[in-house]
């Protein structure tokens, strides 16, 4: 038993070292994508210092002004709705605070996936392909009919189908959320595209 003790200690140390390296490499990939976002969009970059010898690493964030409105991409400290699921949240400033809406992928879990919809009835656009793929709840369905072009509906339905994000409008914000972290180029490019789409949508809402 005494002879095996050094082996067990060495094995534990090796496992801890491997875990630390994996964690550091994953964090480095995420930080690189946020650095790219900050540089490309001319936003401020925040990278929290690691804790507990690097075993606890809070995720980076970017924030600032883009296309004349406040923008941020961050990862909330707690899991989604008290769970262990982590989501990345993009928020765009919306100066019109009267409209609220939530867009999620349609399906059996669609109604359950609607957060803070306050029991709003499902809105349908009349576009069969869109209505079959997207569950929308809104306090002003008639406004959405005028605001969302056919191109907007295609972008929303295709994005929700492929990546299963949620899109929220309300309280002066348009938000786009995805489960997981921005750890690679495709994910970063997806958020860059979402920023442009949501800024366009914000301008349309405010001009209506």
């Amino acid at each position: 038993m005494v002879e095996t003790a050094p082996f067990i200690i060495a094995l534990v140390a090796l496992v801890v070292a491997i875990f630390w390296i994996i964690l550091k490499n994953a964090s480095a990939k995420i930080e690189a994508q946020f650095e790219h976002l900050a540089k490309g969009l001319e936003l401020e970059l925040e990278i929290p210092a690691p804790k507990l010898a690097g075993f606890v690493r809070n995720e980076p964030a970017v924030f600032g002004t883009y296309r004349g409105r406040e923008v941020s991409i961050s990862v909330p400290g707690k899991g989604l709705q008290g769970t262990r699921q982590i989501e990345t949240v993009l928020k765009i400033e919306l100066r019109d605070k009267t409209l609220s809406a939530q867009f999620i992928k349609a399906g059996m879990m669609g109604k359950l996936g609607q957060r803070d919809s306050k029991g709003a009835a499902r809105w349908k656009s009349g576009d069969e392909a869109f209505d079959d793929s997207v569950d929308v709840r809104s306090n002003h369905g008639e406004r959405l009919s005028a605001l969302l072009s056919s191109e907007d509906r295609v972008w929303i339905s295709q994005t929700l189908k492929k990546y299963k994000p949620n899109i929220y409008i309300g309280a002066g914000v348009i938000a786009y959320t995805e489960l997981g972290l921005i750890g690679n180029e495709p994910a970063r490019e997806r958020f860059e595209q979402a920023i442009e789409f949501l800024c366009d949508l914000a301008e349309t809402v405010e001009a209506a």
Side-chain angles (χ1 to χ4, degrees):
M1 186 69 177
V2 175
E3 293 179 355
T4 60
F7 171 76
I8 294 175
I9 293 173
L11 181 60
V12 170
L14 177 61
V15 171
V16 170
I18 292 173
F19 177 75
W20 186 88
I21 292 171
I22 292 173
L23 184 61
K24 183 179 180 181
N25 288 342
S27 295
K29 291 179 180 179
I30 294 168
E31 289 176 5
Q33 297 306 323
F34 272 81
E35 288 171 354
H36 197 290
L37 283 168
K39 183 178 181 180
L41 301 173
E42 298 184 347
L43 300 174
E44 296 292 326
L45 172 65
E46 180 181 86
I47 300 180
K51 303 175 182 178
L52 296 178
F55 284 97
V56 176
R57 295 174 180 269
N58 293 326
E59 305 305 334
V62 294
F63 56 90
T65 301
Y66 180 70
R67 288 178 56 175
R69 62 187 71 245
E70 293 181 11
V71 173
S72 69
I73 303 176
S74 62
V75 180
K78 296 182 179 179
L80 176 61
Q81 293 184 307
T83 71
R84 293 180 179 272
Q85 293 180 308
I86 301 299
E87 65 177 355
T88 300
V89 180
L90 160 64
K91 291 183 178 181
I92 303 287
E93 177 189 14
L94 178 64
R95 299 181 183 93
D96 183 322
K97 298 183 180 181
T98 62
L99 177 65
S100 65
Q102 299 185 21
F103 303 76
I104 68 170
K105 185 177 182 294
M108 293 181 63
M109 300 301 290
K111 187 174 181 180
L112 296 176
Q114 288 285 0
R115 288 181 262 168
D116 303 321
S117 62
K118 299 179 180 179
R122 183 175 180 182
W123 169 75
K124 292 192 175 183
S125 66
D127 178 337
E128 185 175 350
F130 177 83
D131 295 334
D132 287 345
S133 61
V134 183
D135 186 322
V136 184
R137 312 284 166 145
S138 176
N139 66 336
H140 285 296
E142 68 283 357
R143 287 191 66 190
L144 289 181
S145 297
L147 293 171
L148 297 178
S149 67
S150 59
E151 291 80 7
D152 293 337
R153 294 195 299 272
V154 168
W155 187 92
I156 291 171
S157 61
Q158 290 183 346
T159 300
L160 266 60
K161 180 179 180 180
K162 290 181 181 179
Y163 309 113
K164 299 178 178 62
N166 293 338
I167 300 173
Y168 306 92
I169 302 174
V173 168
I174 304 181
Y176 173 99
T177 71
E178 272 192 34
L179 290 178
L181 303 170
I182 303 176
N184 53 47
E185 185 175 339
R188 188 199 77 236
E189 291 177 344
R190 196 157 61 245
F191 272 81
E192 289 171 339
Q193 292 168 5
I195 288 175
E196 299 298 341
F197 177 81
L198 296 188
C199 282
D200 289 344
L201 180 58
E203 291 172 359
T204 299
V205 172
E206 292 166 357

